[in-house]
Amino acid sequence: MRRLGRTVGIAVGTAVGAAARALRRAAVLAGPGAVIGLITAGLAVGVGELAAVWSGPQTAPAIAVGSAAIDLTPTPLKEFAIRNFGTDDKLVLLTGIYFTLGLIAVAAGLIAVRRLGFGVALVAMFGVVGAWAALSRPTSQSGDLWPSLLGAAAAAVAMFLLVHSYRAARAPASEAPPPSRLPVWAQGRRGFLALAVGTAGTAAATELVGRVAVDRRYDVAVKRSRVRIPTPAVRAPAIPAGAHPNVVGLSEFITPNSEFYRVDTALVLPQVDPEAWTLRIRGLVDRPLELSFADLLSRPLIEHDQTLSCVSNEVGGPYVGTARWIGAPLADLLREAGVQRGADQLVGRSIDGMTIGTPVESVLDGRTGLLAVAMNGEPLPIAHGFPCRMLVPGFFGYVSATKWLVDLELTTFASYDSYWVQRGYSKTAPVKTASRIDVPKPFAHVPAGTVTVAGVAWATHRGIDAVEVRSDGGPWTLARLAQADTPDTWRQWTCYLDLPPGLHQLEVRATDATGAVQTAQRADTFPDGATGWHSVVFTTT
Ligand SMILES: Nc1nc2c(c(=O)[nH]1)N[C@H]1C(S)=C(S)[C@@H](COP(=O)(O)O)O[C@H]1N2
Ligand SMILES: [Mo]
């Protein structure tokens, strides 16, 4: 025990010594002001994280500011981010926020060693920005401002002490040190270093404890693992054996959950406790309803295969996937609630305030709209909306597929614009007929002769009737369609082309079950989905 104590003591001493040396070196390189700035910013973040244990992970300063930034981001910039960073867009945003914070922290520190008041004012300003961001969230509560305010307060005190200690330490030894009300241990060069290392350590500790405690308090992974989804009253027919041609490189027919694309505005995944979850159905209805998760699971459930795709998916892009879902039929619930005449929009709200509007007429026209609770044989993954999401085949996700759903309101399109509609997207957006070449990959080298071309095509809810492929602008060849699962799923296809050695360009187009041929006309993803033919350039040798 004694030995252990001594070893730990030595280890801590060594770590503190190393930290002190690193700080001193940084102070020499960048100036003590920069170090003071960075340490105080670190403390603000750490204390904010710790305070977020009480108000929720979404209220931590950087997350609050990031979420506000997402909502304020102009649509073209958001499209750019989705296009270039994809599902990593959130990581890029957070990195940018921390980087900006770091720069401002350095500036604040450099200012503070000259004019302490200005430095502290800058810190206070940041507290206010964080608090404002937290309160600007659609589902915010008044307590949400505390993480940013407490973080900024801690940073202001630390800055005050560090700057005073630094000034005292800097005074030439020949002069009497300026009168100081600092405690003895915080005086002199060693005192300044002790204060700096202590503040940095507190920053790290609060950050660490805050993160662990936030996870323990809010993470619903364990509760999710305990959810048992009842056997559906209506099973989906087995997926036809011929739905997936055995071609290497062709997408799976059912997209594994781990590979299913994720698109949402949630900077931290909403953690919805299934035991506390309720869904309200309200607005223009005769009988408003409220269901618990147990109520939902006790209803007759339906299993249904559906392809989901994103309006931000570019021609040939990855934001499309197919899953076997289980859920309660949405239409039955709406009928129980009694939709009133004139209600033409069904608005789904998520726990984090996302709003998604779907035409009521479509939900009630016989298609399999679901309040989905399971995806590919397991409870919905947290990233895909646990415990409950909406799905209405035929529409892009932003107008049909609310994740972390907690509220359904019957209203009108004339009286309410949902989240992306407020940002210029179309009020409603049926999935456009699309096709994608999965094989060969762009810039692949394959042997000349008979070349295998394969891919997917989807016109969700209408179904696919034909796919054609051509090379180098030549005549179209009909692809062989794999067996259809349902009109709500994509259809896979293969095509064998004889090609001489050289560089080739393949193009693909699909015809949906209404007979409409996919247009060659290029359109942007904004405002209601991209059009145009996917093409792949590759070489035969
Ligand atoms: N709560 C919430 N639900 C949401 C979104 C969101 O940002 N928040 N994004 C929508 C969009 S734009 C799409 S394309 C689908 C994506 O669903 P997935 O992430 O499960 O693939 O979810 C929809 N539901
Ligand atoms: Mo989307």
Side-chain angles (χ1 to χ4, degrees), residues 15 21 23 43 88 94 142 167 281 298 303 317 378 428 473 488:
R21 275 193 300 282
L23 282 176
L43 186 67
D88 291 334
L94 272 183
S142 56
R167 283 182 183 159
I281 302 178
S298 69
E303 187 176 51
E378 48 178 289
T428 185
D488 292 344

Side-chain angles (χ1 to χ4, degrees), residues 145-464:
L145 48 74
W146 286 114
S148 291
L149 290 191
L150 289 175
V157 171
M159 179 172 270
F160 179 87
L161 290 175
L162 280 164
V163 167
H164 272 283
S165 169
Y166 166 69
R167 283 182 183 159
R170 199 181 47 176
S174 55
E175 288 174 22
S180 166
R181 267 174 279 137
L182 289 174
V184 184
W185 57 264
Q187 290 180 17
R189 284 173 58 90
R190 295 185 68 103
F192 172 65
L193 269 176
L195 204 55
V197 171
T199 310
T202 311
T206 47
E207 170 77 23
L208 197 75
V209 172
R211 284 197 179 219
V212 171
V214 160
D215 269 0
R216 284 191 56 154
R217 172 149 183 206
Y218 296 97
D219 190 75
V220 292
V222 173
K223 288 196 165 142
R224 173 177 175 271
S225 71
R226 294 202 192 108
V227 167
R228 292 283 164 271
I229 304 292
T231 307
V234 180
R235 304 295 304 247
I239 290 159
H244 176 66
N246 222 340
V247 173
V248 175
L250 174 61
S251 304
E252 295 292 318
F253 184 81
I254 292 288
T255 315
N257 288 354
S258 58
E259 282 162 38
F260 208 97
Y261 81 93
R262 175 185 162 206
V263 169
D264 55 58
T265 59
L267 209 43
V268 288
L269 281 179
Q271 305 285 327
V272 183
D273 181 350
E275 285 149 35
W277 181 86
T278 61
L279 176 70
R280 290 174 307 277
I281 302 178
R282 63 188 180 91
L284 300 173
V285 291
D286 295 333
R287 296 167 293 277
L289 298 176
E290 184 160 336
L291 287 104
S292 69
F293 195 54
D295 294 339
L296 189 65
L297 293 188
S298 69
R299 298 179 66 87
L301 301 179
I302 288 190
E303 187 176 51
H304 188 66
D305 299 338
Q306 192 202 308
T307 295
L308 182 63
S309 58
C310 180
V311 68
S312 299
N313 195 35
E314 287 185 283
V315 170
Y319 303 134
V320 55
T322 299
R324 174 156 283 200
W325 311 88
I326 296 173
L330 182 56
D332 291 356
L333 268 163
L334 293 195
R335 292 208 177 85
E336 273 178 45
V339 177
Q340 289 173 0
R341 188 183 287 278
D344 61 0
Q345 181 176 214
L346 174 64
V347 174
R349 272 194 184 73
S350 72
I351 195 140
D352 64 343
M354 169 57 64
T355 54
I356 286 181
T358 315
V360 170
E361 186 192 32
S362 313
V363 175
L364 296 178
D365 73 0
R367 71 185 78 197
T368 311
L370 292 180
L371 295 172
V373 292
M375 179 179 187
N376 294 331
E378 48 178 289
L380 283 181
I382 295 174
H384 295 290
F386 178 77
C388 176
R389 81 176 300 168
M390 203 167 108
L391 288 171
V392 181
F395 294 94
F396 286 122
Y398 86 99
V399 283
S400 67
T402 323
K403 305 192 275 188
W404 313 292
L405 181 73
V406 292
D407 183 87
L408 285 172
E409 183 187 3
L410 284 126
T411 176
T412 62
F413 279 107
S415 66
Y416 183 75
D417 285 343
S418 58
Y419 185 92
W420 288 112
V421 177
Q422 290 167 26
R423 286 157 180 79
Y425 285 82
S426 299
K427 277 182 182 262
T428 185
V431 172
K432 293 184 177 174
T433 302
S435 49
R436 186 180 76 193
I437 299 166
D438 283 354
V439 181
K441 300 286 174 226
F443 311 115
H445 287 253
V446 303
T450 305
V451 172
T452 304
V453 186
V456 288
W458 65 95
T460 319
H461 196 57
R462 299 188 295 283
I464 292 291

